[in-house]
């Protein structure tokens, strides 16, 4: 089955700096890669996703890049703000697949 | 429109006791999932369902059973709770489309087994 590895497990950045989280996946048939944000004590919520037919997608201060050849994808947060402090999860799924496999999560702390 | 609702939100069990966690969604989603979240381990899939009356095992199914008698409900059962099942449990649902769709999560159930 699919295996998703996520690094780093914790990330501390100064407010205004950028944060980058990287994930690798094992199943070459995976073609959907969402990112979820989980604030303390809350449920995970989708912040951005990318499909294998594009290499990059951007939404305001967040962007995701995908390298299908190397089987890795990354989340980039620019101009970080204190409200970006949370746990971020990457995930992978096959085409119209019924399973969504998550990485281990990255705890991001933005220091004012 | 409540989305995905889990019951209960908190529970403390003694080793060997049984309980059922209820997940209800009002979005008419076909897919439903149960995950457990442990520190440093991310979200691990316990069981999932692709439609009413069907269930399948995920990564960590041992010690759990599930049922999906109605499309909107997905039940997770622990027949004989063990301390290793202390965790936060999340239910999620997704729509069935030709392309992958967003998963919506419930608010979580914090279970402690003593």
């Amino acid at each position: 089955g699919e295996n998703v590895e996520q690094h780093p497990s914790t990330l501390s950045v100064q407010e205004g700096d950028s944060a980058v989280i990287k994930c690798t996946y094992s199943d070459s048939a995976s073609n959907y890669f969402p990112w979820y944000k989980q604030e303390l004590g809350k449920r995970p919520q989708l912040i951005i996703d990318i499909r294998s037919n594009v290499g990059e997608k951007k939404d305001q201060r967040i962007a995701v890049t995908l390298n299908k050849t190397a089987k890795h994808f990354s989340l980039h947060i620019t101009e970080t703000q204190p409200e970006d402090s949370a746990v971020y999860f990457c995930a992978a799924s096959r085409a119209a697949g019924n399973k969504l496999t998550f990485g281990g999560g990255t705890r991001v702390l933005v220091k004012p | 429109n409540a989305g995905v609702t889990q019951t209960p939100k908190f529970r403390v069990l003694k080793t060997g006791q049984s309980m059922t966690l209820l997940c209800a969604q009002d979005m008419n989603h076909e897919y439903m999932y149960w995950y457990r979240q442990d520190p440093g381990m991310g979200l691990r899939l316990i069981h999932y369902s692709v439609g009413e009356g069907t269930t399948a095992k995920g990564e960590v199914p041992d010690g759990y059973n599930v049922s999906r008698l109605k499309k909107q409900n997905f039940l997770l059962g622990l027949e004989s709770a063990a301390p290793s099942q202390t965790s936060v449990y999340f239910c999620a649902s997704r729509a069935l489309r030709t392309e992958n769709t967003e998963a919506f999560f419930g608010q979580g159930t914090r279970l402690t087994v003593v």
Side-chain angles (χ1 to χ4, degrees):
Chain A
E2 175 68 276
N3 183 48
V4 179
E5 301 275 346
Q6 184 172 346
H7 298 281
S9 56
T10 59
L11 180 59
S12 182
V13 297
Q14 207 65 40
E15 182 177 356
D17 287 349
S18 295
V20 181
I21 304 169
K22 298 181 179 179
C23 289
T24 59
Y25 61 98
S26 61
D27 187 351
S28 56
S30 290
N31 74 344
Y32 176 66
F33 308 94
W35 287 87
Y36 285 78
K37 176 184 181 181
Q38 185 182 28
E39 296 177 352
L40 189 63
K42 301 287 181 65
R43 70 191 78 192
Q45 292 190 295
L46 180 75
I47 55 171
I48 194 168
D49 57 14
I50 190 168
R51 301 178 195 277
S52 61
N53 55 349
V54 297
E56 183 172 359
K57 184 177 179 180
K58 193 173 181 181
D59 182 3
Q60 299 183 338
R61 294 186 298 107
I62 61 173
V64 57
T65 58
L66 171 65
N67 183 327
K68 282 219 73 178
T69 304
K71 289 193 280 188
H72 67 71
F73 56 111
S74 300
L75 177 72
H76 304 252
I77 307 173
T78 58
E79 300 172 20
T80 53
Q81 299 168 5
E83 54 263 37
D84 294 329
S85 295
V87 177
Y88 292 81
F89 293 99
C90 62
S93 180
R94 288 186 165 201
N98 47 37
K99 284 200 287 187
L100 195 56
T101 302
F102 285 85
T106 298
R107 184 173 298 278
V108 174
L109 175 63
V110 180
K111 296 180 287 185
Chain B
N1 189 337
V4 181
T5 304
Q6 292 180 228
T7 310
K9 293 183 176 57
F10 303 94
R11 184 73 186 267
V12 178
L13 283 181
K14 292 183 179 179
T15 298
Q17 286 186 318
S18 63
M19 78 164 293
T20 300
L21 282 69
L22 170 63
C23 178
Q25 53 97 1
D26 60 4
M27 296 174 282
N28 203 34
H29 285 170
E30 289 77 14
Y31 297 155
M32 295 188 75
Y33 309 85
W34 277 107
Y35 289 90
R36 59 177 289 172
Q37 182 176 23
D38 303 293
M41 306 281 293
L43 293 158
R44 291 185 293 168
L45 184 63
I46 305 171
H47 287 279
Y48 65 101
S49 168
V50 301
E52 181 179 319
T54 70
T55 62
K57 294 180 180 180
E59 303 170 63
V60 289
D62 294 343
Y64 305 94
N65 56 76
V66 288
S67 64
R68 184 124 181 247
L69 300 179
K70 293 183 180 181
K71 186 177 183 180
Q72 64 267 35
N73 296 336
F74 194 30
L75 278 63
L76 178 71
L78 287 74
E79 289 188 348
S80 179
S84 61
Q85 294 177 304
T86 293
S87 188
V88 179
Y89 292 85
F90 283 98
C91 174
S93 71
R94 292 168 84 186
L96 170 63
R97 300 284 185 270
T98 52
E99 285 195 322
N100 272 288
T101 58
E102 176 180 356
F104 291 87
F105 284 82
Q107 77 274 35
T109 297
R110 184 174 294 277
L111 175 65
T112 302
V113 182
V114 297

